[in-house]
Structure formats: C-alpha cells, structure tokens
Amino acid sequence: MKKRLSFLDNYLTLWIFMAMLVGVGIGYFFPSSSGFINSFSAGTTNLPLAIGLILMMYPPLTKIDFSQIPQMFKNPKLLTASFLITWILGPFLMFLLATFFLKDYPEYMTGLIIIGIAPCIAMVIVWNELAEGNRELTAGLIGINSLLQVFFFSLYAYFYLAVMLPLFGIKGLELDITIVEIAKTVGIYLGIPFVLAVISRFMIKRFIGDTWFNKKFLPFVSPITLIALLFTIVVMFSLKGEMIVDLPMDVIRIAIPLVIFFAIMFFLMFFVSKKIGANYRDAVALSFTASGNNFELAIAVSIGVFGINSGQAFAGVIGPLVEVPALIILVNVAFWLKKRYYK
C-alpha cells in the first residue's frame, strides 16, 4: 500500500516546476547571479550545488540498513542484468541517440556522450526513495557504479570519443581525465553524505537508541531531502537561466534524446527485472539506477576539459534539468506499474 504523503511530498511535481521557473527567472532577469553563484567554486566544484546535493542525499542514506547490503549478492541474475543494461547497453544507447539527434551540433553531441558513460550514483537515491524502492539494493548498486566510474570512466571516454566516433564518420577526440579527478568528484557527491550517514546512524543507535532514531531523528531529517532538491534545482536553473531562454530550441534538441534514453532504460530494466523474478522494490531500484545519470561528474568533466561556457557544459547542465521532471513522472509511472503488475 502506497504510504500517505506529506503536504510537501504530495505536491512535489508542482514544487519542482516552480523551482525550475524561479531558477530560470533568477538567471534571466539577474544575469549577474550566475557569476555570483560561480564565485563560490573550488576548482570544478560549485559549492552551493555540492552542498545542495550532499544535503539531498544525506537523509535517504541514513535510512539504509547497511548490514542488509550483502543480501543483494544472493541474486546474481539481478546484478548481471543491472551491469549489462547499465554499463554495456546504456552508454551505447546514449551514443546512438547523441550521434543521431546532435550530429550537426558536435559540442552538444559530445556532452551527451559524456553523460551517457556516467551512470547515476547520486539522485537515484532520491527517486528510489520517492518510488519506495529497495534502499539497500540501491546503496549496493551505487557503490558498485562509483567504483566502476573511478576506474573505467576514462577508458569509456576514450573508447566512445576517440574510437567509436570515427567509426560513425565523425571526427574523434580524446579526454585527458585522470582517475584522481573522477575519484574526487565521486568522493564529494557520494562519499561525504555516505560517511555522515554511517556515522549518524551508528552513533545515534548506539548511544541514544533505535526508538529515538526511528521515531524522532528520521522524521526530522527526512524533509531535508526535498528542500535540498528544490534548492539544487533553483541553483542549477539560475546558472543557465539566460541561455535557456535565449536558446530554447537548443534546450529542446538536447532534451529529446535524453527523454528517450530515460524512458527506454527505465522500462527495459523494469520488465527485465520482473522477468527474472524481481519484486517491485528491487525492480524499482534497478530501473532508476539504470535510467539516471551522474550529471555531477559529467558537468565537472565538461567544465574542466572544455570550459564553463562550452556547449558540452551547457548539455551537461541541461541534463539534470530534463532528468528531474522526467524521473518525477517515472516515479508516478512506477506506482502505476506496481498496481498493474504487482497486485
């Protein structure tokens, strides 16, 4: 039975679209705001965005019973399906969509390919939480994805941008991205909230007790996720608000292949999971993990390699702006699928 939503949760889609409009309005009517926000940056890491993402991920991570994560290895079929779809099919699908829709816009095409080789390790926690998926399975999957990104992102980038593009008659290029740079980005957006969550859960349960943790602490921190999500959306939209208004067709060009990617990956993973015996909570965890992307890493890489005003960086920023409403819709689709296939 679907849990009763709070006032904030119940109108989440409305709040998200309002946050998007507020962000665009700030960026468009106050162009200097993007410079002000970017002034709070360290290297390629924007501090307001980092704070928003860390706060957004902290509450769901505190709810994870980490002792249950090893249970995910009891079903190798699910892990195999997740790996094949997320790491083999997903990047290739995004590559095909990028080259088909954006071949005449090479910077946007490159930005989308970079997005495609970085499976989600952050906001999937939020979508999974909203759709009532398996927290422990999600935590295990993002842990695996994080390690794979650290060691294989550079190799994937070389393969798709230097090897695959020429095979499709497009001039190839190479990215000079080190493992240390990727590990730093993963550490900021996933490592910090993960460590804070583990410490909070362990210390409170040990010294104050399970009852206070479950009845007082979790209800107190839970709303932080959605508040931080709305804050992050406002910041992201305000950074490119002027460009979004001035280049609406470019936004649409980038959005179309992204929406197609989200839909194909979500439904494919959901029905494959169901076919191999996954329950609803596991199918949802696998589906959102497969359909989302690590836009934080993609944006950081695009800014670091091509510059903050590049087409690649613009495509990276448009990514989460498309992902937020698209995956919110998929959260509602997940509940419909639950009623349809998991009676």
Side-chain angles (χ1 to χ4, degrees):
M1 184 176 180
K2 185 179 176 179
K3 64 183 179 183
R4 188 171 183 174
L5 297 176
S6 67
F7 176 76
L8 185 61
D9 291 333
N10 203 35
Y11 296 96
L12 177 61
T13 304
L14 174 62
W15 307 142
I16 285 176
F17 279 106
M18 287 179 65
M20 291 163 65
L21 289 174
V22 170
V24 170
I26 292 173
Y28 183 74
F29 293 108
F30 304 96
S32 61
S33 62
S34 61
F36 175 74
I37 294 172
N38 281 321
S39 68
F40 297 96
S41 297
T44 58
T45 302
N46 181 276
L47 297 182
L49 273 180
I51 291 171
L53 287 164
I54 290 168
L55 289 176
M56 181 178 70
M57 293 171 59
Y58 170 72
L61 285 168
T62 61
K63 299 176 183 178
I64 294 172
D65 184 356
F66 296 100
S67 65
Q68 297 298 314
I69 290 179
Q71 297 292 324
M72 65 180 285
F73 293 101
K74 290 186 176 181
N75 195 335
K77 286 185 178 180
L78 293 183
L79 292 181
T80 301
S82 177
F83 174 79
L84 291 176
I85 292 176
T86 303
W87 280 95
I88 306 300
L89 178 64
F92 184 65
L93 174 62
M94 187 70 90
F95 176 85
L96 291 179
L97 291 170
T99 53
F100 180 79
F101 285 98
L102 298 170
K103 187 174 182 178
D104 295 330
Y105 302 87
E107 290 190 356
Y108 297 159
M109 179 189 68
T110 303
L112 229 62
I113 293 172
I114 293 172
I115 290 171
I117 61 178
C120 190
I121 62 167
M123 293 183 75
V124 63
I125 297 173
V126 179
W127 311 132
N128 179 73
E129 185 74 8
L130 293 174
E132 300 177 7
N134 187 327
R135 294 168 184 159
E136 289 70 37
L137 178 58
T138 300
L141 290 173
I142 63 176
I144 293 171
N145 285 344
S146 299
L147 291 174
L148 290 175
Q149 281 180 39
V150 168
F151 292 109
F152 294 108
F153 183 91
S154 299
L155 182 61
Y156 263 55
Y158 174 81
F159 175 73
Y160 278 102
L161 296 176
V163 178
M164 289 294 289
L165 281 179
L167 293 179
F168 281 70
I170 304 170
K171 183 180 179 181
L173 55 95
E174 296 183 22
L175 294 184
D176 184 20
I177 307 297
T178 68
I179 288 178
V180 174
E181 291 171 320
I182 299 169
K184 178 183 175 182
T185 303
V186 172
I188 291 172
Y189 296 114
L190 181 63
I192 292 175
F194 177 81
V195 170
L196 291 175
V198 171
I199 293 174
S200 299
R201 186 179 179 91
F202 175 78
M203 297 296 286
I204 293 174
K205 279 177 166 286
R206 178 166 183 175
F207 295 105
I208 303 180
D210 289 352
T211 301
W212 193 89
F213 178 82
N214 293 320
K215 297 289 183 66
K216 298 291 184 180
F217 181 74
L218 290 183
F220 174 74
V221 300
S222 290
I224 294 175
T225 293
L226 299 183
I227 295 170
L229 173 61
L230 297 177
F231 168 78
T232 303
I233 291 170
V234 170
V235 173
M236 285 194 299
F237 271 74
S238 64
L239 285 171
K240 296 293 181 180
E242 192 172 12
M243 291 187 69
I244 290 170
V245 175
D246 292 341
L247 301 171
M249 290 308 299
D250 286 19
V251 174
I252 294 173
R253 287 188 185 97
I254 296 168
I256 290 173
L258 282 171
V259 170
I260 295 173
F261 176 84
F262 296 144
I264 291 176
M265 293 295 287
F266 180 87
F267 285 105
L268 177 64
M269 190 73 251
F270 186 90
F271 286 109
V272 168
S273 301
K274 184 179 182 300
K275 182 71 175 178
I276 58 180
N279 58 35
Y280 169 77
R281 295 182 68 242
D282 289 350
V284 163
L286 290 162
S287 299
F288 281 112
T289 303
S291 55
N293 292 96
N294 186 355
F295 291 103
E296 300 80 26
L297 176 58
I299 292 170
V301 168
S302 295
I303 291 174
V305 176
F306 302 104
I308 194 168
N309 295 313
S310 65
Q312 290 88 346
F314 182 67
V317 172
I318 295 302
L321 311 188
V322 177
E323 182 189 50
V324 169
L327 267 67
I328 281 294
I329 292 172
L330 288 176
V331 167
N332 292 292
V333 169
F335 284 122
W336 180 84
L337 291 170
K338 181 180 181 181
K339 292 179 181 179
R340 177 70 173 79
Y341 295 102
Y342 291 94
K343 295 181 180 179

